Amino acid sequence: MSKKILVAYTSKYGSTRKYAEWIASALNADLFTAQTVKAKTLSQYDVVIYGGGLYAGGIAGVKLVTHNPCKNLIVFTVGLANPLTTDYSAIIKKNFTPELLAKTKLFHLRGGIDYKKLRPIHKIMMAMMKGMIQKKPESERDIEDKEFLDTYNSKVNFEDKQTIDSIISYVNGL
């Protein structure tokens, strides 16, 4: 029996949407923007995959799935930082109760940024982050800090279709 799978996402600049499209296509899943999904719809699916961009310690739109029960919940985040070197524990703790976290499988993917397309609030946030990093002595800056400064105010794209393979494998193993 095949699983009924929903992929929902919130994407402000396009990277999360692209990953959601790739995942939905690979799993033959239904694809929706989070804004169009009703809470009661979630219970009609065997697997719910939610994707949201990372913004100021939050996961865009994640309340859709954290405030409504899902049978098998998978959440993927998309951010600028390298998932191999990033500690997501504060973000996870802020967005998930321990009970929900125990029932949720998380994946972190890497997106991109084009400073020219940022909304004013996001430009301000990025400028503030740059300022905080620049205040650190150079000896205390980590790899992410250096990479942020190197790519600040430019266009970078770290989207990688192969990084969805772990999500696809996980869902196929359910």
Side-chain angles (χ1 to χ4, degrees):
M1 185 184 112
S2 65
K3 295 178 274 295
K4 191 172 179 190
I5 304 169
L6 167 74
V7 177
Y9 67 93
T10 299
S11 185
K12 292 184 177 154
Y13 297 106
S15 291
T16 306
R17 181 189 71 237
K18 189 178 288 185
Y19 280 117
E21 289 169 349
W22 288 338
I23 292 165
S25 176
L27 292 169
N28 197 21
D30 295 337
L31 177 68
F32 297 97
T33 60
Q35 304 89 299
T36 64
V37 177
K38 303 279 183 268
K40 65 180 185 214
T41 305
L42 298 173
S43 62
Q44 298 168 9
Y45 287 86
D46 302 309
V47 179
V48 173
I49 302 170
Y50 180 79
L54 296 173
Y55 297 93
I59 303 167
V62 77
K63 286 182 180 172
L64 172 69
V65 294
T66 59
H67 288 56
N68 299 295
C70 303
K71 290 178 191 142
N72 285 297
L73 178 58
I74 298 156
V75 173
F76 69 91
T77 66
V78 180
L80 197 53
N82 184 346
L84 301 176
T85 58
T86 301
D87 178 6
Y88 294 96
S89 54
I91 293 168
I92 293 164
K93 188 176 180 182
K94 180 179 174 180
N95 291 277
F96 295 89
T97 63
E99 299 76 27
L100 182 58
L101 187 57
K103 299 185 288 188
T104 304
K105 181 69 175 167
L106 291 167
F107 294 89
H108 304 288
L109 307 174
R110 200 164 187 198
I113 193 168
D114 182 350
Y115 281 81
K116 288 181 179 72
K117 292 183 179 177
L118 290 183
R119 295 180 184 137
I121 186 70
H122 294 136
K123 284 183 181 179
I124 291 167
M125 289 167 57
M126 298 308 268
M128 288 170 54
M129 195 161 147
K130 179 186 177 196
M132 290 187 328
I133 293 169
Q134 287 177 323
K135 285 180 183 165
K136 289 184 190 178
E138 218 164 303
S139 60
E140 292 178 22
R141 295 179 189 167
D142 61 20
I143 293 168
E144 279 185 40
D145 292 338
K146 291 177 180 119
E147 194 169 79
F148 179 88
L149 293 175
D150 287 345
T151 61
Y152 182 78
N153 215 15
S154 61
K155 181 179 178 177
V156 291
N157 187 339
F158 299 106
E159 296 163 358
D160 181 356
K161 191 172 183 178
Q162 288 185 321
T163 59
I164 70 165
D165 292 350
S166 55
I167 298 171
I168 306 309
S169 296
Y170 178 80
V171 173
N172 287 335
L174 289 174

